[in-house]
Amino acid sequence: MKKLILFLFIATFLSACSDFLEEDTSTIMSDDSEAIKTETGMFSALIGAYKPMSYTWNTGLGNSNTQGVCCGDDILTTHKARNKADFREFDQFNVNDINYRLQFIWDGAYKAIQGANLIIDNYEEATGDQDNIMQYAGEAYFLRAYNYFWVARMWEEAPILLHSQTFDFDYLTMEPSDQLALYNQIIADCDLALATMVSDTRVQPGRASKGSVMALKAEALLHMAGYPLKQTAKYAEAAAVAKDLIDDRAIYGLGLVDDWADLWQAEHDGNSEEVFAITFLGTSQNWNGNALYGSANRPADEGGWNDICAEITFFNNYPDQYRKDLTYKTSIEKDIDGVMTTIPWQDFESARPFFQKFEGERNNWYLGQSLPLERFAEVYLIYAEAELMSGGDVDEALEALNIIVRRAYNQPLYTASVYDYTAAQLTQDLILTEKAREHAGEWVRWFDLVRTEKVEEANSTKDPDDLQPIGGLDKSDYFMPIPATETQVNPNL
């Protein structure tokens, strides 16, 4: 596992909030260096732990691979030709272990985990302002938990490394851990983060808060209640954590924004709905631009890359509403022989709508807009599902769902409307459908289909003109192969 045993860390120093990821490679730290055992060293290591999640063309989640690996759902797809074979593998359930799109997620997760481990193993001996040091440690526990959450959802088995900043030859022969061990580690790290972190609210954009930890814990518990663990008692635990976060949202500086449009505009970066988001410098020189927005989510008809577009059946079944109009790009204006002409999505080269909310301010790959990985809307929907499935208060579960539905129609959030669902209509399927609409194009639906064992059902409704599964579907298709770069080094994986 050569990818996991490097213990080189980039030291970065903060001059302003917008410079959180500004890079300075003048200092190198390792576990045996005294530099790490200072407040300044801890902070530098913290930035080194965040960075792998946003290293645009090397590791992490700041590019269209984050959507690509979720193309097995019924919302996301890619161009049926062009140079999109790696994306098509996910949509057709034919993923090869040399598919380099997997490597972005795997490497980003384990490098962030490695950076978090450096802090966790040293913070108790660090000198300086102890409140700051404890805050850094809490964020490190969160980062380790969050990245293991991606690993657990994508791979059926994977290694758990808790001291990976220190080389050990055992890493080259270690066995992978199963889902239960992975999720137990995630929950344990969430609890340690909550116990260690000092600040209730995020200290800066792009950094985790206690609210981030609570949202992650609620979501992880929800997944433990589903496939493959099926620990259904976790529904009640997930509901309790989500409800506490909703009730105390003002304490954590979080909550829904009134206008759904405000979520996707650069001027509203850092809004209260960003439970956890990656921030970017927005420059091409240092590989720290948001490459999920922009070109990747624009049609070739306007100079985009055609990486990610929309599946037709889900789009057609999405009810006409304010949120849908803001979610999808269904036409472009183009100069044809000196005349500005409206081209509908049916006439796009891909013959698919695109995701307007991700088109960004510019048609390039180095945008500076933040990328929300966890949104507060999901907390409401986690609560609605978990409360219902645990046999809890149906009225409260219903109200949590209806708040999200009202906003979808641009109605006041906390006042009953004609669009409200009734208690008689409330089912897990309904909540999952509304969650899919709320988070269409994001990295939510695929994992929900896996945990509820609905992958086959969702793919059975594909439009005949959409990419189809190759060779049928079963639960062996729910998880990804571990990248060949890892199994070649350690066959035990």
Side-chain angles (χ1 to χ4, degrees):
M1 303 211 28
K2 59 186 178 182
K3 297 282 184 183
L4 304 179
I5 62 176
L6 300 176
F7 51 93
L8 206 59
F9 290 90
I10 298 168
T12 313
F13 295 90
L14 186 69
S15 59
C17 289
S18 61
D19 299 326
F20 180 58
L21 294 172
E22 192 69 55
E23 189 174 39
D24 172 8
T25 58
S26 61
T27 303
I28 295 174
M29 285 187 298
S30 65
D31 190 48
D32 59 0
S33 168
E34 289 303 310
I36 186 61
K37 294 177 177 140
T38 67
E39 180 186 346
T40 301
M42 280 278 132
F43 185 67
S44 296
L46 180 66
I47 297 173
Y50 275 100
K51 182 168 183 177
M53 299 178 67
S54 61
Y55 198 1
T56 310
W57 299 126
N58 193 349
T59 64
L61 304 171
N63 52 64
S64 57
N65 300 316
T66 304
Q67 295 170 294
V69 298
C70 298
C71 277
D73 68 11
D74 52 352
I75 299 175
L76 293 158
T77 190
T78 188
H79 198 283
K80 294 172 71 174
R82 286 188 167 247
N83 60 339
K84 310 302 175 190
D86 291 326
F87 287 115
R88 289 193 292 273
E89 286 187 6
F90 295 100
D91 205 4
Q92 297 184 291
F93 297 88
N94 190 36
V95 183
N96 196 298
D97 64 359
I98 61 172
N99 188 313
Y100 77 97
R101 309 288 179 180
L102 287 174
Q103 198 78 47
F104 276 85
I105 313 296
W106 178 277
D107 283 359
Y110 277 104
K111 286 180 182 294
I113 289 164
Q114 183 182 31
N117 285 342
L118 179 65
I119 298 165
I120 291 167
D121 275 359
N122 287 280
Y123 79 91
E124 291 179 326
E125 299 177 36
T127 59
D129 186 309
Q130 289 302 301
D131 280 350
N132 285 339
I133 290 168
M134 293 296 281
Q135 176 68 26
Y136 306 155
E139 290 179 58
Y141 281 120
F142 168 81
L143 285 173
R144 191 164 75 178
Y146 184 76
N147 283 282
Y148 274 128
F149 187 48
W150 270 89
V151 170
R153 289 178 300 169
M154 285 190 61
W155 289 279
E156 189 169 16
E157 296 182 329
I160 296 176
L161 295 104
L162 302 180
H163 309 283
S164 56
Q165 77 287 352
T166 303
F167 175 69
D168 189 329
F169 277 105
D170 288 344
Y171 292 161
L172 303 180
T173 56
M174 71 183 299
E175 299 283 344
S177 297
D178 62 16
Q179 286 275 302
L180 181 59
L182 286 163
Y183 274 101
N184 283 342
Q185 185 62 50
I186 292 162
I187 299 302
D189 279 345
C190 284
D191 289 339
L192 287 166
L194 290 171
T196 309
M197 205 177 278
V198 173
S199 177
D200 288 330
T201 59
R202 57 183 168 224
V203 179
Q204 294 170 276
R207 291 174 62 182
S209 68
K210 285 187 179 179
S212 311
V213 182
M214 293 177 70
L216 171 59
K217 183 177 179 179
E219 189 176 7
L221 289 166
L222 186 70
H223 277 262
M224 293 180 79
Y227 181 84
L229 297 179
K230 296 189 177 182
Q231 296 184 350
T232 55
K234 299 297 184 186
Y235 279 124
E237 293 182 47
V241 176
K243 185 65 161 58
D244 285 347
L245 181 51
I246 291 169
D247 289 347
D248 293 335
R249 58 191 181 275
I251 294 173
Y252 301 109
L254 299 172
L256 298 173
V257 301
D258 291 334
D259 190 338
W260 200 83
D262 290 346
L263 296 170
W264 315 108
Q265 298 170 9
E267 61 265 33
H268 296 289
D269 274 4
N271 63 70
S272 63
E273 194 152 336
E274 290 186 358
V275 174
F276 179 56
I278 302 177
T279 56
F280 299 88
L281 297 175
T283 60
S284 59
Q285 287 77 24
N286 55 13
W287 281 13
N288 189 254
N290 182 345
L292 188 148
Y293 285 26
S295 299
N297 270 277
R298 288 176 182 255
D301 310 77
E302 61 175 5
W305 295 348
N306 271 337
D307 276 3
I308 299 295
C309 47
E311 291 204 354
I312 295 173
T313 298
F314 186 88
F315 169 79
N316 285 338
N317 290 339
Y318 198 127
D320 291 333
Q321 57 183 216
Y322 179 72
R323 183 178 58 189
K324 182 179 184 179
D325 293 341
L326 295 168
T327 295
Y328 289 104
K329 185 185 190 77
T330 56
S331 66
I332 63 171
E333 298 295 319
K334 193 169 185 177
D335 187 325
I336 299 178
D337 298 328
V339 178
M340 291 304 296
T341 305
T342 299
I343 301 176
W345 67 264
Q346 292 90 342
D347 293 332
F348 289 176
E349 180 192 317
S350 61
R352 302 287 183 282
F354 280 71
F355 293 97
Q356 178 175 294
K357 62 183 181 180
F358 294 132
E359 69 176 11
E361 294 183 295
R362 303 184 306 276
N363 189 0
N364 59 36
W365 59 264
Y366 47 90
L367 284 84
Q369 286 175 256
S370 63
L371 177 62
L373 297 174
E374 301 285 333
R375 293 202 284 116
F376 209 81
E378 192 172 0
V379 178
Y380 276 91
L381 294 164
I382 287 170
Y383 172 68
E385 181 185 354
E387 186 73 3
L388 176 69
M389 296 301 290
S390 65
D393 191 320
V394 172
D395 289 338
E396 288 203 0
L398 180 66
E399 177 63 10
L401 174 64
N402 280 332
I403 286 170
I404 302 303
V405 173
R406 290 169 200 149
R407 188 175 66 169
Y409 287 96
N410 205 23
Q411 300 295 306
L413 273 62
Y414 305 106
T415 304
S417 86
V418 295
Y419 302 106
D420 283 6
Y421 290 112
T422 65
Q425 294 173 293
L426 189 64
T427 64
Q428 183 185 35
D429 282 345
L430 175 65
I431 296 168
L432 289 172
T433 297
E434 284 298 336
K435 189 176 181 184
R437 292 167 180 166
E438 171 68 25
H439 295 279
E442 300 172 53
W443 27 96
V444 174
R445 175 66 165 174
W446 163 248
F447 298 120
D448 280 346
L449 292 176
V450 170
R451 69 175 174 82
T452 57
E453 301 175 87
K454 294 180 181 295
V455 173
E456 296 91 334
E457 177 185 326
N459 277 270
S460 70
T461 64
K462 279 177 175 280
D463 187 272
D465 194 45
D466 272 322
L467 291 166
Q468 305 294 320
I470 293 176
L473 273 177
D474 58 43
K475 289 184 173 57
S476 67
D477 296 302
Y478 282 15
F479 295 100
M480 308 296 174
I482 290 177
T485 52
E486 305 300 328
T487 56
Q488 287 168 1
V489 176
N490 177 8
N492 288 341
L493 295 180

